[in-house]
Amino acid sequence: MISLLCITMISLALAGSAYCQTATPASFISVKTDLGGNVTLPCRLQAEQTFFYGSLKVTWIKVGEDQSQNEDVLVSLGLHKRTYGNFENRAFLLDLEKGDASLVLLDVSMEDMGRYRCEIMDGMEDIIQDVILEVENGLIGGVVFPYSPHRGRYNLNFDEAVRSCESQDAIIASFDQLLKAWKGGLDWCNAGWLNDGTVQYPITKPRQPCGGVNSRPGLRNYGLRNKQMSRFDVFCFVSLLKGYFYWLVQPERLSFDEAVQACRDDDAEIAKVGQMYAAWKLEGYDRCDAGWLADGSVRYPISRPRKNCSPTEAAVRFVGFPDKKVKSYGVYCFKAAK
């Protein structure tokens, strides 16, 4: 009787110990990456641990403030793998056949930041590993640019502003990114949305239409605005050029539709505004030819100021949104990285 009681107590103790191990990982690892980059979150079986590949179950979750806020990322059992939600087509296991269940995340966003939990179950000894992912906001190696659509200034509510940046291969900028851009010399008198729902604009050269000649340089802040009713421009941010941006040499000037087709004929697509800014800022792209972009605007990037080509400053020059039927411009194309 005593022996049976002892066996029962030991069994319960072992079960409780296993439960605690599953609920509370013994340690965590911190990993940093840049916005828009790829990252590997480490998790693997111990070197001396033997296993049968087909029996391994791997689960990755993003841990919320409480259990109800946990997000499924990836589940793998033998040959069957599934990713979930925003992680579809972006999450992969590194090399599970060798016991490496590290999670590879592609095209990391600020929303990916947080705590991730890896659980490897092989029927013998479970592995539980927490990884803290920190995403750098890309203040170094990125560029903030103001954007307004073809219909003119101050026409975007907050949701439209977010979509406008995304449509130009960028994201809506943060306060820190705009502040860094202002310190780097960005001067723009049109107010634009930021990702926190505030509306601001950067002034390095005070003047009458932009807060007055006696005002100090800085970020002019309109504060939080109604995201649906208020309408402004937007400040966008791009940190990576994920492909090849180039001027397409053509014997004649093109209409907008002809420009789109010319890029397609070159196995590319017409370039977006964010791609031009990234090429100009991050790669020093310089071309004194005005060309069509995907939003119907005409612009050209100058990194070496000179006569007739932005003589006073390096800048992406904006010509406007001309009639798409006119044949007065060339075209900038973009080939995505493979």
Side-chain angles (χ1 to χ4, degrees):
M1 183 70 177
I2 294 176
S3 298
L4 180 59
L5 178 61
C6 289
I7 291 171
T8 302
M9 292 178 65
I10 291 171
S11 298
L12 290 172
L14 290 172
S17 174
Y19 175 81
C20 291
Q21 183 189 18
T22 301
T24 308
S27 63
F28 69 88
I29 298 171
S30 182
V31 175
K32 292 184 179 181
T33 191
D34 292 327
L35 178 69
N38 303 333
V39 67
T40 300
L41 308 185
C43 181
R44 61 175 300 129
L45 293 170
Q46 297 176 6
E48 67 276 6
Q49 198 168 342
T50 59
F51 67 94
F52 174 59
Y53 166 64
S55 68
L56 288 181
K57 180 181 180 181
V58 177
T59 302
W60 276 93
I61 63 171
K62 188 179 181 197
V63 181
E65 293 184 4
D66 58 61
Q67 191 170 359
S68 65
Q69 295 178 308
N70 287 354
E71 295 180 58
D72 292 327
V73 177
L74 180 148
V75 174
S76 172
L77 179 58
L79 298 176
H80 302 285
K81 296 181 179 63
R82 182 178 177 183
T83 52
Y84 297 86
N86 186 45
F87 297 99
E88 286 190 35
N89 302 317
R90 293 199 305 124
F92 306 90
L93 295 181
L94 192 61
D95 194 349
L96 192 55
E97 292 187 24
K98 296 182 180 179
D100 193 338
S102 299
L103 182 72
V104 179
L105 283 181
L106 307 181
D107 194 19
V108 173
S109 69
M110 297 303 292
E111 289 72 26
D112 291 331
M113 188 160 45
R115 181 185 291 264
Y116 291 76
R117 180 163 297 158
C118 167
E119 299 179 1
I120 307 177
M121 303 174 66
D122 69 350
M124 297 293 292
E125 182 178 353
D126 297 343
I127 300 294
I128 297 93
Q129 176 69 64
D130 272 15
V131 183
I132 306 296
L133 175 60
E134 300 179 38
V135 180
E136 302 288 346
N137 62 15
L139 296 179
I140 299 174
V143 56
V144 170
F145 63 93
Y147 187 78
S148 58
H150 67 278
R151 59 182 183 268
R153 289 180 49 190
Y154 294 176
N155 267 292
L156 301 171
N157 66 24
F158 180 79
D159 292 338
E160 291 168 340
V162 171
R163 290 195 296 269
S164 291
C165 289
E166 291 174 348
S167 72
Q168 298 311 312
D169 205 27
I171 61 172
I172 186 170
S174 69
F175 170 81
D176 287 339
Q177 289 163 347
L178 185 63
L179 178 63
K180 181 73 174 182
W182 168 73
K183 290 179 178 178
L186 180 62
D187 182 280
W188 195 257
C189 200
N190 294 358
W193 291 102
L194 298 178
N195 67 359
D196 59 1
T198 63
V199 174
Q200 307 192 37
Y201 63 99
I203 295 298
T204 59
K205 301 182 287 289
R207 51 203 184 274
Q208 193 57 46
C210 308
V213 293
N214 296 322
S215 62
R216 301 181 63 180
L219 297 185
R220 307 283 191 261
N221 190 348
Y222 287 9
L224 290 167
R225 292 302 176 109
N226 186 301
K227 290 185 176 181
Q228 299 306 315
M229 301 298 293
S230 298
R231 293 187 174 272
F232 295 94
D233 293 344
V234 62
F235 288 98
C236 302
F237 176 82
V238 59
S239 62
L240 291 173
L241 186 63
K242 304 171 188 176
Y244 173 53
F245 174 91
Y246 64 103
W247 168 264
L248 182 64
V249 177
Q250 290 284 290
E252 299 178 352
R253 297 304 184 184
L254 308 168
S255 69
F256 177 77
D257 289 342
E258 290 171 339
V260 171
Q261 188 59 49
C263 289
R264 288 175 180 167
D265 292 343
D266 202 47
D267 196 25
E269 62 182 17
I270 187 169
K272 299 176 180 179
V273 176
Q275 292 161 352
M276 175 175 280
Y277 270 95
W280 165 71
K281 183 69 172 181
L282 307 180
E283 298 185 356
Y285 195 93
D286 182 281
R287 183 92 192 188
C288 197
D289 291 290
W292 292 105
L293 295 178
D295 65 341
S297 67
V298 172
R299 308 173 195 246
Y300 60 99
I302 297 298
S303 59
R304 295 181 291 105
R306 56 199 184 275
K307 186 178 180 181
N308 300 325
C309 300
S310 187
T312 61
E313 62 179 348
V316 170
R317 288 302 184 188
F318 174 62
V319 176
F321 287 93
D323 184 335
K324 290 184 176 181
K325 295 180 181 179
V326 301
K327 297 187 177 185
S328 300
Y329 309 102
V331 62
Y332 290 95
C333 301
F334 182 79
K335 291 185 179 182
K338 296 182 180 180

